[in-house]
Amino acid sequence: MTEFSFLDAQAQALGVPVPPVERLMLTLDDGRTLSALRFGEGTPQVTLLHGAGLNAHTWDATALALGLPALAIDLPGHGDSSWRDDLDYSAPAIAPDIAAALRTWTTVPQVLVGQSLGGLTAARVAAQHPDLVREVIVVDITPGIDTSHGPAILREFYAGPTDFASRDDLVERALAFGMGGSRANTERGVFLNTRVRADGRVEWKHHLAHLAATTFAAEPAANANAPVLRAEGWDDLAAVRAPLTLVRAAQGFVTETDAEEYQRRLPGSQVVVFDAPHNVQETAPRALADLARTRLSTAVDTSL
Protein backbone atom coordinates (compact mmCIF):
# COMPACT_ATOMS: atom_id res chain seq x y z
CA MET A 1 0.00 0.00 0.00
CA THR A 2 1.24 3.50 -0.90
CA GLU A 3 0.15 7.00 -0.03
CA PHE A 4 -1.87 7.12 -3.27
CA SER A 5 -3.67 3.80 -2.79
CA PHE A 6 -6.83 5.47 -1.48
CA LEU A 7 -7.38 7.86 -4.38
CA ASP A 8 -9.24 5.46 -6.68
CA ALA A 9 -11.92 4.71 -4.10
CA GLN A 10 -12.29 8.39 -3.20
CA ALA A 11 -12.59 9.39 -6.85
CA GLN A 12 -15.13 6.66 -7.48
CA ALA A 13 -17.24 7.86 -4.56
CA LEU A 14 -17.14 11.40 -5.95
CA GLY A 15 -17.74 10.27 -9.53
CA VAL A 16 -14.63 11.99 -10.83
CA PRO A 17 -11.42 10.80 -12.53
CA VAL A 18 -8.09 10.51 -10.76
CA PRO A 19 -5.68 13.14 -12.14
CA PRO A 20 -1.92 12.75 -12.16
CA VAL A 21 -0.64 13.23 -8.60
CA GLU A 22 2.98 13.59 -7.55
CA ARG A 23 4.97 14.24 -4.39
CA LEU A 24 7.14 17.38 -4.48
CA MET A 25 10.09 18.24 -2.24
CA LEU A 26 11.72 21.64 -1.76
CA THR A 27 14.97 22.28 0.14
CA LEU A 28 14.68 25.54 2.06
CA ASP A 29 17.54 27.95 2.67
CA ASP A 30 18.25 26.56 6.15
CA GLY A 31 18.42 22.96 4.91
CA ARG A 32 14.94 21.91 6.02
CA THR A 33 12.64 20.35 3.46
CA LEU A 34 9.06 21.23 2.57
CA SER A 35 6.84 18.64 0.92
CA ALA A 36 3.63 18.87 -1.08
CA LEU A 37 1.26 17.02 -3.38
CA ARG A 38 0.56 18.37 -6.85
CA PHE A 39 -2.75 17.35 -8.41
CA GLY A 40 -3.27 17.62 -12.16
CA GLU A 41 -1.14 18.95 -14.98
CA GLY A 42 -0.13 22.55 -15.53
CA THR A 43 0.52 25.27 -13.01
CA PRO A 44 -1.55 25.04 -9.82
CA GLN A 45 -4.45 27.46 -9.56
CA VAL A 46 -5.43 26.60 -5.99
CA THR A 47 -3.14 25.97 -3.02
CA LEU A 48 -4.44 24.09 0.03
CA LEU A 49 -3.04 24.43 3.56
CA HIS A 50 -4.13 21.93 6.23
CA GLY A 51 -4.71 22.34 9.95
CA ALA A 52 -2.56 21.42 12.93
CA GLY A 53 -1.92 17.70 13.27
CA LEU A 54 -3.00 16.89 9.70
CA ASN A 55 -1.12 16.65 6.39
CA ALA A 56 -1.57 17.33 2.69
CA HIS A 57 -3.62 14.16 2.16
CA THR A 58 -6.48 15.63 4.19
CA TRP A 59 -7.24 17.56 0.97
CA ASP A 60 -7.39 14.52 -1.33
CA ALA A 61 -11.18 14.48 -1.72
CA THR A 62 -11.39 18.26 -2.10
CA ALA A 63 -8.62 18.27 -4.72
CA LEU A 64 -10.32 15.46 -6.63
CA ALA A 65 -13.68 17.26 -6.53
CA LEU A 66 -12.02 20.52 -7.58
CA GLY A 67 -10.89 19.13 -10.92
CA LEU A 68 -8.24 21.84 -11.35
CA PRO A 69 -4.46 21.84 -11.02
CA ALA A 70 -3.89 22.22 -7.29
CA LEU A 71 -1.14 22.14 -4.70
CA ALA A 72 -1.59 20.68 -1.21
CA ILE A 73 1.35 21.52 1.06
CA ASP A 74 2.52 19.65 4.15
CA LEU A 75 3.00 22.47 6.66
CA PRO A 76 6.37 22.52 8.46
CA GLY A 77 6.42 19.85 11.14
CA HIS A 78 3.72 17.83 9.38
CA GLY A 79 3.54 15.04 6.83
CA ASP A 80 6.81 14.72 4.95
CA SER A 81 8.03 18.25 5.78
CA SER A 82 10.85 18.77 8.27
CA TRP A 83 10.26 19.53 11.95
CA ARG A 84 11.38 22.92 13.28
CA ASP A 85 14.14 23.01 15.90
CA ASP A 86 12.58 26.08 17.53
CA LEU A 87 9.23 24.26 17.98
CA ASP A 88 7.41 27.31 16.60
CA TYR A 89 4.44 26.35 14.43
CA SER A 90 2.58 29.63 14.58
CA ALA A 91 1.51 31.31 11.36
CA PRO A 92 4.24 33.99 11.50
CA ALA A 93 6.92 31.30 11.79
CA ILE A 94 5.75 29.02 9.00
CA ALA A 95 4.33 31.51 6.49
CA PRO A 96 7.77 32.30 4.97
CA ASP A 97 8.15 28.61 4.07
CA ILE A 98 4.77 28.63 2.32
CA ALA A 99 5.70 31.77 0.41
CA ALA A 100 8.93 30.10 -0.74
CA ALA A 101 6.93 27.10 -1.91
CA LEU A 102 4.51 29.25 -3.88
CA ARG A 103 7.37 31.07 -5.58
CA THR A 104 8.89 27.71 -6.53
CA TRP A 105 5.85 25.63 -7.46
CA THR A 106 3.36 28.16 -8.85
CA THR A 107 3.47 30.79 -11.58
CA VAL A 108 0.17 32.62 -11.04
CA PRO A 109 -1.47 34.15 -7.94
CA GLN A 110 -3.30 31.45 -6.03
CA VAL A 111 -6.70 30.94 -4.53
CA LEU A 112 -5.25 30.12 -1.12
CA VAL A 113 -7.48 27.84 0.95
CA GLY A 114 -6.40 27.26 4.54
CA GLN A 115 -8.13 25.20 7.21
CA SER A 116 -7.52 25.94 10.91
CA LEU A 117 -3.78 26.62 11.36
CA GLY A 118 -3.57 26.64 7.56
CA GLY A 119 -6.15 29.43 7.47
CA LEU A 120 -4.17 31.65 9.81
CA THR A 121 -1.08 30.88 7.75
CA ALA A 122 -2.89 31.72 4.52
CA ALA A 123 -3.82 35.12 5.94
CA ARG A 124 -0.21 35.78 6.93
CA VAL A 125 1.08 34.83 3.47
CA ALA A 126 -1.52 36.99 1.74
CA ALA A 127 -0.80 39.95 4.02
CA GLN A 128 2.95 39.84 3.47
CA HIS A 129 3.11 38.53 -0.11
CA PRO A 130 0.08 39.93 -1.95
CA ASP A 131 1.61 39.16 -5.32
CA LEU A 132 1.27 35.43 -4.63
CA VAL A 133 -2.41 35.39 -3.70
CA ARG A 134 -5.56 36.29 -5.65
CA GLU A 135 -8.11 35.16 -3.03
CA VAL A 136 -8.10 33.75 0.50
CA ILE A 137 -10.56 31.22 1.92
CA VAL A 138 -10.13 30.65 5.66
CA VAL A 139 -11.80 27.46 6.87
CA ASP A 140 -13.21 27.29 10.42
CA ILE A 141 -10.71 29.38 12.33
CA THR A 142 -10.38 32.91 13.68
CA PRO A 143 -7.70 34.23 16.05
CA GLY A 144 -10.40 34.68 18.68
CA ILE A 145 -11.99 31.21 18.93
CA ASP A 146 -12.76 29.75 22.35
CA THR A 147 -9.78 27.51 23.09
CA SER A 148 -11.67 25.70 25.85
CA HIS A 149 -13.84 23.93 23.26
CA GLY A 150 -12.57 22.40 20.00
CA PRO A 151 -8.83 23.03 20.43
CA ALA A 152 -8.99 21.56 23.95
CA ILE A 153 -10.30 18.30 22.49
CA LEU A 154 -7.37 18.14 20.07
CA ARG A 155 -4.94 18.94 22.88
CA GLU A 156 -6.36 16.10 24.96
CA PHE A 157 -6.31 13.71 22.01
CA TYR A 158 -2.64 14.31 21.27
CA ALA A 159 -1.59 14.54 24.93
CA GLY A 160 -1.59 10.76 25.26
CA PRO A 161 1.25 8.41 24.28
CA THR A 162 3.45 9.52 21.38
CA ASP A 163 3.92 5.97 20.10
CA PHE A 164 1.67 2.93 19.85
CA ALA A 165 1.88 -0.81 19.30
CA SER A 166 -0.16 -0.68 16.10
CA ARG A 167 -2.16 1.61 13.83
CA ASP A 168 -5.29 -0.16 15.04
CA ASP A 169 -4.62 1.27 18.52
CA LEU A 170 -4.58 4.77 17.05
CA VAL A 171 -7.75 4.13 15.07
CA GLU A 172 -9.54 3.06 18.24
CA ARG A 173 -8.30 6.16 20.07
CA ALA A 174 -9.47 8.45 17.28
CA LEU A 175 -12.90 6.82 17.18
CA ALA A 176 -13.21 7.10 20.95
CA PHE A 177 -12.66 10.86 20.65
CA GLY A 178 -15.23 11.12 17.86
CA MET A 179 -12.65 11.96 15.21
CA GLY A 180 -12.37 10.78 11.65
CA GLY A 181 -16.00 9.98 10.89
CA SER A 182 -16.39 6.41 9.62
CA ARG A 183 -13.97 3.68 10.55
CA ALA A 184 -12.77 3.47 6.95
CA ASN A 185 -11.98 7.20 6.87
CA THR A 186 -10.26 6.97 10.24
CA GLU A 187 -8.11 4.06 9.09
CA ARG A 188 -7.14 6.02 5.99
CA GLY A 189 -6.27 9.12 8.02
CA VAL A 190 -4.19 7.16 10.52
CA PHE A 191 -2.28 5.35 7.78
CA LEU A 192 -1.41 8.60 6.01
CA ASN A 193 -0.50 10.47 9.20
CA THR A 194 1.73 7.89 10.91
CA ARG A 195 4.93 5.98 10.32
CA VAL A 196 6.33 2.70 11.62
CA ARG A 197 9.66 3.11 13.38
CA ALA A 198 12.56 0.68 13.15
CA ASP A 199 11.48 -0.84 16.48
CA GLY A 200 8.02 -1.61 15.10
CA ARG A 201 6.23 1.07 17.14
CA VAL A 202 3.86 3.45 15.34
CA GLU A 203 4.15 7.22 15.82
CA TRP A 204 2.46 10.31 14.42
CA LYS A 205 4.35 12.00 11.60
CA HIS A 206 3.59 15.49 12.85
CA HIS A 207 5.66 17.20 15.51
CA LEU A 208 2.65 18.65 17.33
CA ALA A 209 1.79 15.26 18.81
CA HIS A 210 4.88 15.79 20.98
CA LEU A 211 3.91 19.37 21.84
CA ALA A 212 0.21 18.99 22.53
CA ALA A 213 0.10 20.76 25.89
CA THR A 214 0.82 24.18 24.35
CA THR A 215 -0.10 23.77 20.69
CA PHE A 216 -3.55 25.32 21.07
CA ALA A 217 -2.86 27.57 24.04
CA ALA A 218 -4.28 31.06 23.67
CA GLU A 219 -1.11 32.63 25.06
CA PRO A 220 2.45 31.26 25.20
CA ALA A 221 3.54 29.80 28.52
CA ALA A 222 7.04 30.40 29.81
CA ASN A 223 9.59 28.37 27.86
CA ALA A 224 6.82 26.75 25.79
CA ASN A 225 6.61 26.48 22.03
CA ALA A 226 4.69 29.33 20.41
CA PRO A 227 0.96 28.59 20.22
CA VAL A 228 -1.08 28.23 17.06
CA LEU A 229 -3.54 30.98 18.09
CA ARG A 230 -2.05 34.45 18.45
CA ALA A 231 -3.78 37.82 18.65
CA GLU A 232 -1.65 39.19 15.81
CA GLY A 233 -3.67 36.96 13.51
CA TRP A 234 -6.28 39.72 13.46
CA ASP A 235 -3.65 42.10 12.10
CA ASP A 236 -2.80 39.62 9.35
CA LEU A 237 -6.46 39.25 8.34
CA ALA A 238 -6.95 43.03 8.35
CA ALA A 239 -3.91 43.43 6.10
CA VAL A 240 -5.16 41.02 3.43
CA ARG A 241 -6.03 42.99 0.29
CA ALA A 242 -7.27 40.02 -1.72
CA PRO A 243 -10.94 39.01 -1.41
CA LEU A 244 -11.39 37.14 1.87
CA THR A 245 -13.95 34.49 2.81
CA LEU A 246 -14.48 32.71 6.11
CA VAL A 247 -16.05 29.25 6.02
CA ARG A 248 -17.71 28.49 9.35
CA ALA A 249 -18.33 24.81 10.02
CA ALA A 250 -21.64 24.52 11.87
CA GLN A 251 -20.23 21.72 14.05
CA GLY A 252 -16.71 23.09 14.09
CA PHE A 253 -14.55 25.48 16.12
CA VAL A 254 -15.95 28.85 14.99
CA THR A 255 -19.15 29.70 16.84
CA GLU A 256 -21.79 32.18 15.73
CA THR A 257 -20.33 34.63 18.24
CA ASP A 258 -16.85 34.12 16.76
CA ALA A 259 -18.22 34.75 13.26
CA GLU A 260 -19.94 37.94 14.41
CA GLU A 261 -16.67 39.18 15.89
CA TYR A 262 -14.93 38.29 12.62
CA GLN A 263 -17.45 40.29 10.59
CA ARG A 264 -17.22 43.23 12.98
CA ARG A 265 -13.44 43.35 12.56
CA LEU A 266 -13.46 42.59 8.83
CA PRO A 267 -16.66 44.10 7.41
CA GLY A 268 -15.50 43.75 3.82
CA SER A 269 -15.10 39.97 3.93
CA GLN A 270 -17.66 37.24 3.39
CA VAL A 271 -18.85 34.47 5.69
CA VAL A 272 -20.43 31.22 4.51
CA VAL A 273 -21.67 28.39 6.70
CA PHE A 274 -21.27 24.71 5.85
CA ASP A 275 -23.13 21.95 7.67
CA ALA A 276 -19.93 20.14 8.61
CA PRO A 277 -17.47 19.52 11.46
CA HIS A 278 -14.08 21.22 11.73
CA ASN A 279 -12.33 19.18 9.01
CA VAL A 280 -14.61 20.50 6.26
CA GLN A 281 -12.22 19.35 3.54
CA GLU A 282 -12.88 15.72 4.48
CA THR A 283 -16.61 15.80 5.19
CA ALA A 284 -17.85 18.38 2.68
CA PRO A 285 -15.25 18.26 -0.10
CA ARG A 286 -17.66 19.05 -2.93
CA ALA A 287 -18.98 22.18 -1.25
CA LEU A 288 -15.49 23.42 -0.46
CA ALA A 289 -14.25 22.61 -3.96
CA ASP A 290 -17.23 24.43 -5.49
CA LEU A 291 -16.47 27.50 -3.39
CA ALA A 292 -12.81 27.52 -4.45
CA ARG A 293 -13.78 27.02 -8.09
CA THR A 294 -16.13 30.01 -8.05
CA ARG A 295 -13.23 32.18 -6.91
CA LEU A 296 -11.39 31.51 -10.15
CA SER A 297 -11.90 33.40 -13.39
CA THR A 298 -14.06 31.67 -15.98
CA ALA A 299 -11.08 32.06 -18.29
CA VAL A 300 -9.10 29.52 -16.27
CA ASP A 301 -8.48 26.26 -18.14
CA THR A 302 -10.28 23.63 -16.05
CA SER A 303 -8.82 20.59 -17.76
CA LEU A 304 -6.43 18.39 -15.79
Side-chain angles (χ1 to χ4, degrees):
M1 182 177 291
T2 74
E3 64 174 315
F4 303 120
S5 296
F6 301 92
L7 293 178
D8 285 340
Q10 289 178 290
Q12 185 175 5
L14 291 166
V16 298
V18 179
V21 185
E22 64 176 325
R23 171 69 66 180
L24 304 177
M25 301 296 292
L26 172 66
T27 301
L28 300 169
D29 290 343
D30 62 2
R32 289 180 298 114
T33 58
L34 197 69
S35 185
L37 300 173
R38 180 163 57 198
F39 292 80
E41 297 176 335
T43 189
Q45 307 288 332
V46 178
T47 292
L48 308 164
L49 306 178
H50 62 77
L54 300 175
N55 61 74
H57 277 295
T58 191
W59 295 103
D60 285 353
T62 298
L64 291 172
L66 182 64
L68 295 167
L71 187 68
I73 299 176
D74 281 330
L75 298 185
H78 296 73
D80 289 350
S81 293
S82 297
W83 293 5
R84 292 179 62 94
D85 291 338
D86 62 6
L87 314 183
D88 189 347
Y89 294 106
S90 64
I94 65 179
D97 295 344
I98 304 305
L102 295 181
R103 294 197 186 281
T104 301
W105 290 327
T106 71
T107 59
V108 298
Q110 298 291 289
V111 173
L112 195 54
V113 185
Q115 184 254 350
S116 204
L117 171 59
L120 300 177
T121 304
R124 183 76 171 192
V125 172
Q128 296 197 335
H129 305 276
D131 59 310
L132 298 176
V133 181
R134 64 182 297 166
E135 187 118 5
V136 179
I137 301 174
V138 175
V139 181
D140 206 47
I141 194 71
T142 74
I145 63 169
D146 181 0
T147 58
S148 67
H149 179 48
I153 295 173
L154 289 179
R155 186 166 56 244
E156 183 180 356
F157 176 72
Y158 288 119
T162 57
D163 63 331
F164 299 81
S166 70
R167 285 189 166 110
D168 285 342
D169 289 348
L170 271 171
V171 169
E172 294 299 333
R173 180 173 177 81
L175 291 172
F177 274 79
M179 297 180 176
S182 70
R183 186 176 191 89
N185 284 342
T186 303
E187 290 174 346
R188 170 187 170 276
V190 166
F191 178 85
L192 293 171
N193 209 13
T194 58
R195 56 186 164 222
V196 180
R197 300 189 316 218
D199 63 2
R201 301 284 292 180
V202 175
E203 66 178 3
W204 293 109
K205 282 186 175 183
H206 62 87
H207 201 183
L208 298 187
H210 302 266
L211 308 171
T214 54
T215 293
F216 290 98
E219 296 295 338
N223 300 318
N225 58 290
V228 168
L229 299 176
R230 296 169 64 155
E232 65 197 67
W234 287 120
D235 295 333
D236 291 336
L237 286 164
V240 173
R241 293 295 172 259
L244 179 63
T245 300
L246 170 68
V247 174
R248 184 174 82 83
Q251 295 88 48
F253 288 2
V254 176
T255 66
E256 290 184 11
T257 301
D258 294 328
E260 290 170 359
E261 174 69 2
Y262 171 91
Q263 289 184 298
R264 184 187 70 79
R265 289 174 175 263
L266 303 163
S269 65
Q270 299 183 48
V271 177
V272 298
V273 181
F274 287 176
D275 185 14
H278 183 57
N279 290 349
V280 176
Q281 68 279 6
E282 297 180 359
T283 57
R286 285 186 185 279
L288 194 52
D290 289 346
L291 178 63
R293 196 181 302 108
T294 63
R295 298 306 194 246
L296 290 167
S297 167
T298 55
V300 171
D301 180 6
T302 60
S303 62
L304 285 171

